[in-house]
Amino acid sequence: MSAVLNTFDAMKAFKTGAWTSTERARAYDASTNSKTDITSFLTDEYLGQLTRRIAPRSRVLDLGCGTGVLIKSLAALGFDAYGVDISQAMLDKIRPESEGDRITLQQGDVYALPFPDASFAGVTTRWVIPHFRDWPVIVKEAARVLQPGGTLVFDHTSRGNYELANRNGTLEHAKFGYDNRVRGGDKTMFYASASIDELQLAADSAGLDLVDVAPLGFFRQNAVIASVLGGDGFLAYKSTFDDFYRDPGARAFIQWFERNVAAAFPFEMTNGMAVVMQKHG
Ligand SMILES: C[S@@+](CC[C@H](N)C(=O)[O-])C[C@H]1O[C@@H](n2cnc3c(N)ncnc32)[C@H](O)[C@@H]1O
């Protein structure tokens, strides 16, 4: 048992420590600022899940805000945006987009947030929660700082998407880029997955209602597509997809499909999920 716990602690330390160098912060910042790839569209769709549920100009917190992609958008929309991150190097990259943007940054740990109970109308986080096998603990801590009736939006990946992929073939995790296996996988690529039941359990034990789970990002990162095409085929597909996305007509179709078709697919069809929870009033 203690060997299992040690592996768990080692992975957690690795996942938290991976972001602290200035060089990593510089490279991450450079790779996340594009406004023309599909990530930018998905970011807006994702943030919409939060912003349409909370009052204008209310106080919101981004957990593991990194170089500030989400908080800069939230501040530009008029929200009072707070960001917390373990890495000061990542926080140092954040510059408000305009003079009036209200942004407050604080170095801190998502497992022990440096804020009192019930401080925020909204809490969000992206690309952080699935790094950790004990992610429901972070959901509970996020719930603590939410006001009654407040909304939490976080990303996760669909366990069913991995299961469907492995039914059709064998997923090459190294080329897919993420490995959801809790044991036996590569810790540098670990990214948790969850079923709807597990999301429901996490919500219940944090005093939250599970309000919505929206499939997000059908085209770009989908284990079913990766298993059908094979590892190298999937890498080629991603680069072809990026070329298509540069074309305005193709881009409009892809965005329409993501919004109107993929969003209504069964959860197994898409890997990414935007999870919406609300604190009991
Ligand atoms: C993949 S980045 C995501 C950054 C940002 N949310 C975004 O959407 O671009 C993961 C971030 O989580 C932060 N992080 C990792 N472990 C953390 C912890 N225990 N507490 C707070 N932040 C953490 C890292 O420093 C890094 O900035």
Side-chain angles (χ1 to χ4, degrees), residues 16 19 28 64-66 85-87 90 108-110 126-128 132:
T16 286
W19 308 92
Y28 189 85
C65 61
D85 201 284
I86 202 86
S87 163
M90 297 288 269
D109 189 346
V110 294
R126 184 183 66 165
W127 303 340
V128 176
F132 299 102

Side-chain angles (χ1 to χ4, degrees), residues 140-160:
K140 211 171 206 168
E141 180 61 354
R144 181 184 68 75
V145 300
L146 260 188
Q147 295 159 359
T151 301
L152 167 67
V153 175
F154 65 92
D155 65 305
H156 219 309
T157 69
S158 161
R159 170 87 44 76

